[in-house]
Amino acid sequence: MKNIVIIGATSCIATHCARLWAQSESVSLTLVGRNSGKLQRLEQDLQVRSPESSITLLQGDFLSSGGVNEIVKSIAKDQVIDIVLIAHGSLPDQRTCEQDVEQVNDALQVNAVSPVLFAEAFAARLQEQGKGMLAVIGSVAGDRGRKSNYCYGAAKGLVERYVQGLQHRFANTAVKVTLIKPGPTDTPMTASAKAKGGRLAPVEQVAKEIVTGIDKNKPVIYAPKIWRAIMMVIRHLPRFVFDKMDV
Ligand SMILES: NC(=O)c1ccc[n+]([C@@H]2O[C@H](COP(=O)([O-])OP(=O)(O)OC[C@H]3O[C@@H](n4cnc5c(N)ncnc54)[C@H](OP(=O)(O)O)[C@@H]3O)[C@@H](O)[C@H]2O)c1
């Protein structure tokens, strides 16, 4: 049975990935989150969909290096890990960040520091095993800083540069590292954008593209795929054009 670990398993995108994995074959899932009640509800949902799969829950502190170490140690001690998906994150209000550095700190901790600590700790385990897939969810927001979400975007940009380094470290080995960049997706994180009429991709589609991309060892997964082209254009727009855009 494939051993799959999901950090931030209660995330809507991660939950849909877990459903796809569990429905395609019997898998062993380790679901990690900060909220036991939510984890238990997720376990029930997945167990009904895939009665033969084995599911383990782990609750922990994502925001301290000690907490991250404890989680990774307890997962790695008795299994060979096939896939790790690091999915947690939080979209701060940019305007609030501009008034309150505590909010900026929180945004950087949960979206950049914590995923990097998890990735680094798991990378050491995968190196010991000599194989495995480490997939980290970044965002298209990390591709270019813009006024409406640059604190979040900066955190995701840090994750991108970090993953790039990991990919270089593990190049030509059986340890694979993937950066996932969802575009705006219909999940609880984007509820306020949805209320304002923003166009969002269905989470089922995004999860399917992520699971397929991981299966194919893609180094970068834009989901939906169209965002690869959109961000290519955005990244290359000259500053004098970009500065006129209200984005
Ligand atoms: N939705 C989008 O449009 C979009 C676009 C680009 C990238 N992404 C990225 O995709 C990933 C998943 O997002 P989603 O849309 O599925 O969001 P979501 O459903 O709102 O899930 C967010 C997840 O992060 C966890 N989390 C938030 N703050 C945490 C903290 N301080 N400590 C531990 N866990 C924390 C939540 O835990 P609880 O369930 O306990 O609250 C939940 O598991 C994130 O990395 C996000 O940045 C999303």
Side-chain angles (χ1 to χ4, degrees):
M1 246 193 231
K2 230 183 240 171
N3 289 318
I4 302 175
V5 176
I6 308 182
I7 306 295
T10 56
S11 116
C12 188
I13 292 177
T15 293
H16 281 79
C17 292
R19 286 181 182 171
L20 291 171
W21 278 316
Q23 280 166 349
S24 67
E25 58 182 312
S26 299
V27 287
S28 163
L29 288 169
T30 305
L31 307 177
V32 188
R34 62 174 169 177
N35 181 316
S36 309
K38 275 192 176 179
L39 283 172
Q40 280 161 14
R41 285 194 290 284
L42 176 58
E43 179 188 24
Q44 283 162 10
D45 170 86
L46 292 169
Q47 206 72 81
V48 168
R49 291 164 192 272
S50 179
E52 303 297 318
S53 288
S54 127
I55 302 176
T56 306
L57 305 182
L58 196 59
Q59 188 261 338
D61 174 13
F62 285 36
L63 298 181
S64 73
S65 51
V68 170
N69 257 329
E70 220 172 275
I71 291 168
V72 177
K73 256 192 203 159
S74 82
I75 292 171
K77 72 178 183 324
D78 48 21
Q79 60 175 311
V80 173
I81 302 166
D82 295 295
I83 300 173
V84 181
L85 174 65
I86 299 176
H88 58 291
S90 167
L91 181 62
D93 179 62
Q94 176 58 37
R95 286 287 166 84
T96 312
C97 285
E98 288 162 23
Q99 305 301 322
D100 181 359
V101 292
E102 289 297 331
Q103 299 286 325
V104 181
N105 185 42
D106 291 351
L108 294 175
Q109 292 298 328
V110 71
N111 292 304
V113 176
S114 172
V116 163
L117 295 180
F118 272 112
E120 195 64 17
F122 276 116
R125 307 298 160 187
L126 300 190
Q127 183 161 26
E128 275 167 26
Q129 295 178 182
K131 62 173 186 167
M133 158 61 77
L134 179 54
V136 187
I137 304 190
S139 172
V140 293
D143 277 13
R144 186 164 186 175
R146 57 195 173 92
K147 62 184 174 187
S148 63
N149 74 351
Y150 62 85
C151 289
Y152 174 75
K156 294 296 192 179
L158 184 149
V159 170
E160 167 150 34
R161 195 61 74 242
Y162 169 80
V163 166
Q164 212 173 52
L166 262 192
Q167 288 172 332
H168 193 217
R169 169 176 161 193
F170 288 113
N172 308 313
T173 76
V175 175
K176 304 294 171 198
V177 184
T178 294
L179 178 64
I180 298 155
K181 298 188 192 186
T185 306
D186 189 0
T187 74
M189 183 177 281
T190 50
S192 68
K194 190 177 186 181
K196 288 176 198 149
R199 280 186 60 193
L200 303 168
V203 67
E204 293 80 3
Q205 179 193 353
V206 167
K208 190 158 192 333
E209 293 188 15
I210 291 172
V211 167
T212 306
I214 288 176
D215 201 40
K216 292 182 175 164
N217 290 333
K218 296 252 177 181
V220 179
I221 302 167
Y222 280 91
K225 288 187 187 65
I226 182 72
W227 282 92
R228 182 181 293 275
I230 295 172
M231 294 317 296
M232 165 94 87
V233 172
I234 299 277
R235 277 199 316 274
H236 289 94
L237 281 176
R239 185 184 295 270
F240 75 91
V241 177
F242 191 64
D243 283 352
K244 291 190 182 112
M245 293 170 72
D246 192 20
V247 291

